[in-house]
């Protein structure tokens, strides 16, 4: 029985493409892991922000703060 083969150039081309594809898939996996870690960090920062907001509301009541200069205005309750 005769063994049939593609050319070495064709084989090299296919293996090069497969290696490139594997590397891209690995990079996607790493990026997803980094994304997951960043999402956890965002959740932590959001928690800190909510804690600071509660502290400020306990001290000043409901306010809007100008983040450029620290001035604030009291949020008036809506009668409804």
């Amino acid at each position: 029985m005769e063994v049939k083969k593609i050319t070495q150039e064709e084989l090299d081309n296919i293996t090069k493409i497969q290696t490139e594809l594997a590397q891209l898939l690995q990079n996607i996996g790493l990026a997803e892991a980094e994304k997951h870690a960043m999402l956890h960090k965002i959740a932590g920062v959001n928690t800190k922000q909510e804690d600071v907001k509660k502290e400020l509301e306990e001290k000043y009541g409901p306010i809007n703060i100008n983040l450029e200069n620290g001035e604030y205005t009291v949020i008036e309750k809506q009668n409804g």
Side-chain angles (χ1 to χ4, degrees), residues 19-30:
T19 300
E20 184 179 2
L21 181 59
Q23 184 65 49
L24 288 168
L25 291 170
Q26 181 179 359
N27 289 346
I28 288 171
L30 292 172

Side-chain angles (χ1 to χ4, degrees), residues 4-12 14:
K4 297 180 182 179
K5 294 173 75 175
I6 61 175
T7 67
Q8 186 63 45
E9 183 180 340
E10 292 166 333
L11 180 59
D12 291 345
I14 290 171

Side-chain angles (χ1 to χ4, degrees), residues 33-49:
E34 290 174 357
K35 175 184 170 184
H36 184 76
M38 285 187 258
L39 289 172
H40 276 286
K41 288 181 181 181
I42 287 173
V45 171
N46 283 336
T47 298
K48 288 179 192 177
Q49 182 178 20

Side-chain angles (χ1 to χ4, degrees), residues 52-70:
V52 169
K53 181 179 176 182
K54 286 177 187 174
E55 289 174 16
L56 292 172
E57 283 186 357
E58 287 175 9
K59 184 173 182 179
Y60 298 102
I63 59 174
N64 285 321
I65 302 169
N66 180 326
L67 298 179
E68 291 180 9
N69 60 23

